Amino acid sequence: MLISFMVNGYKAFNNAAKISFKGNKHISNKDYVFDNGILKSAIIYGPNNTGKSSFIDSITVLKRTILDGNLSLDLTKIDFDYNFFKEKKEISYEIKFEENKKVYHYFLSFSYDEGITEEKLLVDNIEIFDLNKKNNNSALNSIIDTFKLYKNKLIISVLPSNYKMYTDAFFSFFNKMEIIDKNVNFSDIVELISTLSKKEMKLFNELILAADISIEKVEYIEDFSKNKVFNLLSHYKMNNNHSVMFSSISDSSGTQIFMAYIAKIIKLKKTGGILIIDEIDRSLHTLLSKSLITLFNATENKNIQLLTTSHDLELLDCLNLFRKDQIWFTYKDNKQVYFYSLNDFKPALDKQVRNKTMISYLKGTFGALPHPNIEEVFYED
């Protein structure tokens, strides 16, 4: 499970943006924390265009780089074109997670000009390797010296076989990291649902029915059409009449994205892992978003996490939905992006820091607010 993640130098992040899932021990509600003190979920708020999606994108880049085992030249070209602060031409990552009861701490930095400039792994605070210094293992030193010449190959992907106990767990964590960004389309959703087993599909339909979105069940028919979009059917029952329609045509965008969410959650229930969503409230009713989040914060949840962004302020005032250390904010001015937690604010600053969080947020207590003035400009002579 994820303990912390930091990125620096990616797009508008000219300073480190870091999120931590380490729970505040002084908060009484322990249900939303795993036995090891790690939070089950976290949510990020902030105005449009202040880095929420970029933060999610940066995690996607790290995951893709690690699973590919190398730094793609195309990747660096794309990302450095969008590095808004040109004086900083290096992207740095630091991620800490627990897998198989061991804590992994991984560092990676790279630039378009120099390739990989830093890579280091610690497991339970013991250094496994460091790209920039000699290690105790001569075979490992030989591998590092060889691949440093290429500048784009990750050492973690070419470690000798005696490091397998570390690499298996390392890559397992990233393989169990599921990301739903704004680029997901209906074809992706259908493909995902097609991988569900009969037992998983049964649970999927039970959740569809429990969501109260007017669908009796969803059915995937293999090889029904060359265009797999039409392999997914939604069953409706109205006025005692039963009808079946293509999900791609009959179901709203909110219903379709909800299907993606629950399919991913069902997959993670078996393996454990983290689901990362850019805007969980996308086209969803507040109560449905809340219901999804409660799946993660539930006492019964022992192995899945949620990291999401949102614009739904109603979720802030659901006292039984988040602890204050689960709520994060992002804000950008003409100097930098700021990334901080509600846990940083003490009740003495405002009596409503937690009792009426949405009101406090809209009052500007926590910052991270837009200040639109479009009406005045539009009607200005």
Side-chain angles (χ1 to χ4, degrees), residues 5-19:
F5 172 83
M6 184 282 295
V7 63
N8 193 356
Y10 181 80
K11 294 189 177 180
F13 293 115
N14 62 328
N15 286 307
K18 182 177 182 178
I19 193 167

Side-chain angles (χ1 to χ4, degrees), residues 93-153:
Y93 287 103
E94 179 184 344
I95 187 168
K96 184 182 283 190
F97 59 89
E98 181 178 302
E99 187 74 11
N100 291 347
K101 297 183 179 181
K102 291 184 179 296
V103 175
Y104 289 73
H105 199 174
Y106 181 72
F107 302 79
L108 177 67
S109 298
F110 55 84
S111 70
Y112 177 65
D113 295 327
E114 299 181 40
I116 297 171
T117 57
E118 179 189 28
E119 188 183 4
K120 182 169 63 175
L121 175 66
L122 289 80
V123 178
D124 287 341
N125 291 320
I126 297 173
E127 187 177 284
I128 305 304
F129 73 87
D130 186 335
L131 177 69
N132 293 316
K133 73 178 187 181
K134 291 295 181 181
N135 302 270
N136 294 327
N137 187 306
S138 59
L140 177 59
N141 288 328
S142 178
I143 288 174
I144 290 176
D145 289 341
T146 299
F147 285 99
K148 277 180 74 173
L149 298 174
Y150 294 95
K151 298 183 178 182
N152 71 335
K153 188 70 174 176

Side-chain angles (χ1 to χ4, degrees), residues 36-291:
N36 58 2
I38 303 304
L39 294 165
K40 296 180 179 181
S41 66
I43 191 165
I44 305 170
Y45 283 94
N48 294 100
N49 203 35
T50 58
K52 297 187 302 299
S53 294
S54 294
F55 192 73
I56 302 300
D57 289 346
S58 73
I59 300 175
T60 302
V61 169
L62 179 62
K63 175 185 175 179
R64 186 171 65 190
T65 301
I66 286 173
L67 294 183
D68 285 350
N70 60 76
L71 188 65
S72 165
L73 191 61
D74 291 336
L75 170 69
T76 53
K77 282 182 177 178
I78 292 170
D79 290 327
F80 283 98
D81 283 345
Y82 287 95
N83 188 317
F84 302 149
F85 299 90
K86 295 299 183 182
E87 73 276 7
K88 187 170 186 63
K89 296 184 178 181
E90 183 173 82
I91 294 176
S92 297
Y93 287 103
E94 179 184 344
I95 187 168
K96 184 182 283 190
F97 59 89
E98 181 178 302
E99 187 74 11
N100 291 347
K101 297 183 179 181
K102 291 184 179 296
V103 175
Y104 289 73
H105 199 174
Y106 181 72
F107 302 79
L108 177 67
S109 298
F110 55 84
S111 70
Y112 177 65
D113 295 327
E114 299 181 40
I116 297 171
T117 57
E118 179 189 28
E119 188 183 4
K120 182 169 63 175
L121 175 66
L122 289 80
V123 178
D124 287 341
N125 291 320
I126 297 173
E127 187 177 284
I128 305 304
F129 73 87
D130 186 335
L131 177 69
N132 293 316
K133 73 178 187 181
K134 291 295 181 181
N135 302 270
N136 294 327
N137 187 306
S138 59
L140 177 59
N141 288 328
S142 178
I143 288 174
I144 290 176
D145 289 341
T146 299
F147 285 99
K148 277 180 74 173
L149 298 174
Y150 294 95
K151 298 183 178 182
N152 71 335
K153 188 70 174 176
L154 298 185
I155 301 303
I156 188 67
S157 68
V158 291
L159 288 176
S161 58
N162 55 312
Y163 290 87
K164 191 174 187 298
M165 62 178 292
Y166 300 127
T167 55
D168 283 355
F170 184 89
F171 289 110
S172 173
F173 172 79
F174 285 96
N175 276 311
K176 294 184 295 184
M177 176 187 285
E178 298 287 354
I179 303 173
I180 300 179
D181 59 25
K182 292 178 181 176
N183 297 319
V184 64
N185 56 50
F186 192 69
S187 296
D188 297 327
I189 297 171
V190 175
E191 184 65 30
L192 174 61
I193 293 173
S194 72
T195 66
L196 297 177
S197 66
K198 287 184 178 179
K199 183 178 179 180
E200 290 171 335
M201 197 67 192
K202 182 177 182 295
L203 177 57
F204 178 89
N205 275 306
E206 288 171 352
L207 291 171
I208 286 289
L209 196 60
D212 193 23
I213 52 177
S214 302
I215 298 177
E216 290 288 304
K217 73 171 183 177
V218 174
E219 183 180 11
Y220 177 79
I221 302 178
E222 192 172 2
D223 298 329
F224 176 79
S225 167
K226 291 182 179 179
N227 185 348
K228 285 196 173 184
V229 166
F230 296 106
N231 286 28
L232 201 65
L233 305 174
S234 291
H235 292 244
Y236 291 84
K237 188 176 182 180
M238 297 185 69
N239 297 323
N240 293 321
N241 291 319
H242 179 263
S243 61
V244 181
M245 302 181 68
F246 294 123
S247 302
S248 58
I249 297 172
S250 63
D251 298 340
S252 69
S253 58
T255 297
Q256 292 175 6
I257 197 67
F258 177 75
M259 291 179 182
Y261 293 165
I262 60 174
K264 290 282 191 185
I265 292 169
I266 288 170
K267 287 292 187 183
L268 287 176
K269 183 183 179 183
K270 181 179 180 180
T271 64
I274 183 168
L275 177 60
I276 300 172
I277 301 174
D278 193 6
E279 292 190 15
I280 192 170
D281 52 293
R282 196 185 329 169
S283 302
L284 292 188
H285 191 282
T286 296
L287 294 180
L288 193 51
S289 298
K290 179 182 176 182
S291 184

Side-chain angles (χ1 to χ4, degrees), residues 29 31-34 40-43 207 210-211 258 262 265 275 277 280 286-302 304-306 308 315 318-322 326:
N29 187 344
D31 289 341
Y32 299 175
V33 182
F34 294 112
K40 296 180 179 181
S41 66
I43 191 165
L207 291 171
F258 177 75
I262 60 174
I265 292 169
L275 177 60
I277 301 174
I280 192 170
T286 296
L287 294 180
L288 193 51
S289 298
K290 179 182 176 182
S291 184
L292 280 169
I293 293 166
T294 57
L295 289 177
F296 293 87
N297 286 337
T299 306
E300 295 82 0
N301 174 24
K302 304 299 182 184
I304 57 175
Q305 286 178 294
L306 171 69
T308 185
L315 298 175
C318 297
L319 292 184
N320 296 320
L321 193 61
F322 291 111
Q326 293 177 292

